[in-house]
Amino acid sequence: MPGLTYPFVFECSNCENEITVDRDAVREVFRFGEPDFNSFDTINAVLHQRGWLRDEFEHRVFCPNCGNPN
């Protein structure tokens, strides 16, 4: 199985905010463990850690400003 190709760039579905998930971001989130760079769960963990929400059913991503209902 080929590995995932980094970086990943996500754009908020409601505005133009972007987040880039690269290998350094993964290492930062998993600094106390061994990250699986070939897992989409790892990418989702980085998004969650940074306050982004991902709708896996409709494949939409929301930044912290647009994903917060308050």
Side-chain angles (χ1 to χ4, degrees):
M1 177 176 121
L4 298 178
T5 304
Y6 287 81
F8 289 90
V9 178
F10 296 93
E11 184 176 309
C12 179
S13 295
N14 282 343
C15 68
E16 295 181 2
N17 285 339
E18 287 187 351
I19 184 171
T20 300
V21 178
D22 57 15
R23 289 180 175 269
D24 289 336
V26 171
R27 285 186 194 99
E28 182 181 319
V29 169
F30 288 90
R31 63 185 171 269
F32 298 115
E34 186 65 34
D36 181 0
F37 288 105
N38 295 319
S39 171
F40 285 110
D41 290 337
T42 301
I43 305 300
N44 288 333
V46 173
L47 290 173
H48 180 76
Q49 175 71 20
R50 302 280 165 88
W52 286 65
L53 300 175
R54 187 168 187 186
D55 179 353
E56 294 187 25
F57 297 107
E58 295 185 27
H59 304 289
R60 298 183 302 170
V61 179
F62 299 98
C63 71
N65 293 333
C66 294
N68 186 354
N70 295 329

